């Protein structure tokens, strides 16, 4: 079967003078594209989660930085270190938890450093090429994660539970957690997907269900708190989620709710897999306790869908992520191999493979 | 401190010719009262969850049955067994999982049988009196559950996690799971409450947060999937939920998500309590596997808050309840005592205590 068709979350527009994203806050009702012509516009789109998913954020930030340098060059502003650093810092400040953002921006910094002193047009071209490479490599990584993850599925088919969106919309390709499902679809292996809606922003029901159903995958949406009883009833064969940051010891920060799913999967004897590109691994973060967890605005819970869903006078806690200790994770699927516990050595190895050519760490 | 003031979910109106409920689908934004003048109107209100919570449903159904008989009497319709049975069956059919509904209607049937052959006015008066007694006894049961449950709280105060709404809005009094919190408030013991919003219908964020904040209780709302990480971080001292039906062996059907919380609490070494009146106990149901779990409309998930929250073409599974095996429950708090595992003997004892005077079982 031909390769599955998936939406492209981020792409160039206006011959590289802008990037264009699907506004993910408006799905599934409206498929709207937003043109981002500056670092300020890109940063706002990332902060407002119009583009989200750790790999897609990294790609968008890299493209946004190239776009900004192009914009400054067209205005005659010299592309000095200060201008670069300002745009870099703005984009870097948008979301604190995911690692791909700082990783991609660090690659852009190296690309910029490599062409220091060149003419503006050359600098802009080099930055565009680096952003292109980041996107292209992510696309390949997703495909490879899909192939490797597919091997973990029972050959006769399975019911996979996933959370949030680690699909095409979160990446430059066919996703991470969702990639093995797309590969199964291409190869005619029946995979049924159950996705938790993923409150408060409903990336599971709005995004994952949308892109899977567009690709003809059998998908069912449940409220997040249904997962436990489905596991008890034997209706889930395995759980796969993505990751926003993987620490050196294998602890995984991912969308809030992931840790609970991991504990529940463990309790019910169900494998719990994490799928992510190596760019999500942060070898400089020793363990999950050192990963900053973004707290998002109370309004996401209080008026999540437009309606008043909690009283104005009541406190809200809205952490966007949680940390799953490595001990709950059956395997971590990367494009460079499937890692098994204990993770430290395998993580150091896959993260180190690219170090000669590409910086895989950031401070 | 004086008794805490709580909203009254169900009450008589028009001198017993109707009942009046707070329309719980419109909270917290609008406090609207609905007047229900027939069994049909009462059944619709229960089905649409304008009145909900197992004890409150029982009270509303009993009152609705008395109201219906009064309505028929005023129209000159003879209050024969057939008319009674029709209204009884209509009300009985509204929700399948909670036990208090069939329990209360069974009490109404006995009251009706006791005045068989009497004048219509006497039949109506007897049915009103029985519905009154059901409501008054539930009010007392809630108070007693509050006092007994309070004894389970650390004397220096605690952070309690609860789910859905097992508060005043769910009962004829100060609630079940929430009653110990109100008693703590009255006695000046600091209790902080964290409540999961309880998708899809958000009874936690819309109802529990509302009634607790009205009573001056410190309450924080979180998305349901935040619970696990709060437990991991040591920020929850105990979990208390209500129940919709308790089987003879102590298995508990309650709002979807309860089972997951029980597993997570057990994993983190946190006590998991269930609080419910004896009218929630169904000794005729041997274990939780025999409790029918209501599947509700997909629209609750697909358009939960008015917005499109999942694609139209995608399947939805929307079970309203799950079953928590008795082994996960630290104690069950009833108005007749705090039961500890193994539950069978204690449940038989408290359920049997009322059998001489009142039927505590239904078929």
């Amino acid at each position: 079967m031909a390769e599955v068709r998936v939406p492209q979350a981020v792409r160039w527009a206006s011959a590289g003078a802008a990037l264009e994203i699907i506004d993910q806050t408006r799905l599934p009702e409206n498929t709207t594209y937003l043109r981002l012509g500056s670092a300020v516009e890109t940063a706002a789109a990332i902060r407002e989660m119009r583009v989200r998913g750790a790999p897609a954020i990294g790609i968008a930030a890299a493209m946004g930085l190239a776009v900004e340098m192009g914009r400054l060059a067209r205005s005659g502003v010299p592309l000095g270190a200060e201008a670069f650093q300002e745009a870099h810092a703005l984009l870097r400040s948008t979301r604190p938890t995911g690692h791909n953002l700082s990783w991609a921006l660090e690659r852009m910094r190296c690309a910029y450093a490599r062409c220091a002193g060149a003419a503006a047009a050359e600098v802009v071209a080099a930055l565009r090429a680096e952003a292109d490479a980041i996107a292209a490599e992510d696309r390949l990584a997703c495909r490879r994660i899909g192939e490797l993850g597919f091997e973990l599925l029972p050959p006769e088919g399975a019911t996979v539970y996933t959370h949030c969106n680690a699909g095409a919309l979160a990446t430059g390709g066919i996703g991470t957690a969702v990639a093995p499902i797309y590969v199964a679809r291409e190869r005619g292996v029946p995979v049924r997907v159950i996705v938790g809606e993923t409150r408060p922003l409903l990336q599971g029901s709005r995004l994952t269900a949308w892109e899977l159903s567009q690709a003809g995958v059998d998908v069912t949406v449940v409220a997040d708190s249904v997962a436990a009883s489905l596991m008890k009833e034997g209706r889930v064969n395995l759980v796969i989620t993505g990751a926003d940051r993987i620490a050196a010891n294998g602890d995984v920060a991912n969308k809030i709710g992931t840790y609970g799913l991991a504990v529940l999967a463990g309790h019910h004897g169900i494998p719990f897999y994490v799928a992510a590109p190596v760019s999500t691994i942060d070898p400089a973060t020793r363990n999950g306790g050192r990963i900053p967890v973004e707290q998002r605005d109370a309004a996401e819970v209080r008026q999540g869908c437009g309606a008043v869903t909690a009283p104005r006078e009541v406190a809200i806690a809205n952490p966007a992520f949680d940390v799953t200790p490595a001990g709950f994770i059956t395997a971590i699927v990367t494009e460079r191999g499937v890692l098994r516990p204990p993770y430290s050595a395998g993580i150091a190895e896959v993260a180190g493979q690219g170090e000669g050519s590409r910086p895989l760490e950031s401070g």
Side-chain angles (χ1 to χ4, degrees), chain A:
Chain A
M1 188 175 168
E3 278 195 13
V4 75
R5 281 181 61 117
V6 295
Q8 194 173 357
V10 189
R11 62 189 180 199
W12 293 111
S14 311
L19 64 154
E20 193 171 73
I21 61 165
I22 299 176
D23 184 348
Q24 299 192 29
T25 64
R26 305 200 58 194
L27 289 172
E29 207 166 13
N30 299 290
T31 308
T32 315
Y33 293 86
L34 282 182
R35 196 180 165 287
L36 309 173
S38 67
V40 167
E41 286 177 11
T42 306
I46 294 172
R47 217 173 250 129
E48 295 160 8
M49 295 178 68
R50 298 183 190 283
V51 57
R52 31 65 51 207
I57 288 171
I59 294 165
M63 287 187 174
L65 189 51
V67 162
E68 177 70 8
M69 291 299 107
R71 189 184 72 83
L72 295 176
R74 284 196 305 284
S75 313
V77 176
L79 301 187
E82 203 170 313
F84 181 86
Q85 179 51 32
E86 192 180 325
H88 190 282
L90 172 67
L91 290 160
R92 177 68 192 81
S93 70
T94 49
R95 309 267 328 256
T97 302
H99 183 60
N100 313 61
L101 172 63
S102 54
W103 170 86
L105 288 172
E106 195 55 28
R107 275 184 62 163
M108 295 299 282
R109 184 194 301 284
C110 293
Y112 176 76
R114 285 194 295 272
C115 57
E122 282 174 48
V123 172
V124 170
L127 292 175
R128 280 186 195 161
E130 187 68 6
D132 253 349
I134 289 169
E137 288 168 30
D138 192 65
R139 198 172 76 80
L140 291 174
C142 288
R143 170 58 56 184
R144 187 72 188 130
I145 287 169
E147 289 163 352
L148 292 172
F150 173 78
E151 302 296 328
L152 300 172
L153 302 179
E156 71 278 13
T159 298
V160 175
Y161 189 98
T162 190
H163 185 59
C164 196
N165 175 267
L169 289 167
T171 65
I174 59 169
T176 53
V178 164
I181 295 158
Y182 284 130
V183 170
R185 170 83 185 147
E186 289 171 3
R187 299 185 186 178
V189 171
V191 169
R192 184 167 172 253
V193 176
I194 304 175
V195 60
E197 55 179 10
T198 317
R199 281 287 288 161
L201 295 182
L202 302 169
Q203 293 94 332
S205 57
R206 292 192 306 105
L207 308 182
T208 300
W210 179 76
E211 65 166 271
L212 286 176
S213 71
Q214 298 265 312
V217 175
D218 176 358
V219 56
T220 298
V221 171
V222 295
D224 300 314
S225 59
V226 179
S229 56
L230 293 173
M231 292 184 190
K232 182 170 66 132
E233 291 160 11
R235 290 162 69 189
V236 174
N237 300 114
L238 62 147
V239 180
I240 315 182
T241 75
D244 290 85
R245 191 188 303 210
I246 301 175
N249 70 340
D251 292 352
V252 167
N254 191 47
K255 178 55 54 194
I256 187 76
T258 302
Y259 168 63
L261 288 170
V263 173
L264 291 168
H267 176 81
H268 293 91
I270 296 166
F272 181 87
Y273 299 113
V274 169
V278 170
S279 53
T280 302
I281 295 175
D282 177 13
T285 295
R286 274 222 308 271
N287 60 55
R290 293 163 180 253
I291 300 175
V293 169
E294 178 181 8
Q295 304 289 325
R296 289 187 62 86
D297 199 282
E300 292 181 354
V301 176
R302 211 190 291 284
Q303 287 150 297
C305 313
V308 173
T309 50
R312 274 169 201 85
E313 64 276 17
V314 161
I316 305 277
N318 186 20
F321 303 95
D322 59 27
V323 173
T324 301
F328 291 93
I329 302 167
T330 309
I332 298 175
V333 185
T334 77
E335 72 275 29
R336 293 184 192 154
V338 176
L339 311 181
R340 298 277 181 177
Y343 291 105
S344 301
I347 283 177
E349 193 187 329
V350 298
Q353 276 177 34
E355 274 189 340
S357 55
R358 299 289 184 198
L360 281 162
E361 306 186 32
S362 74

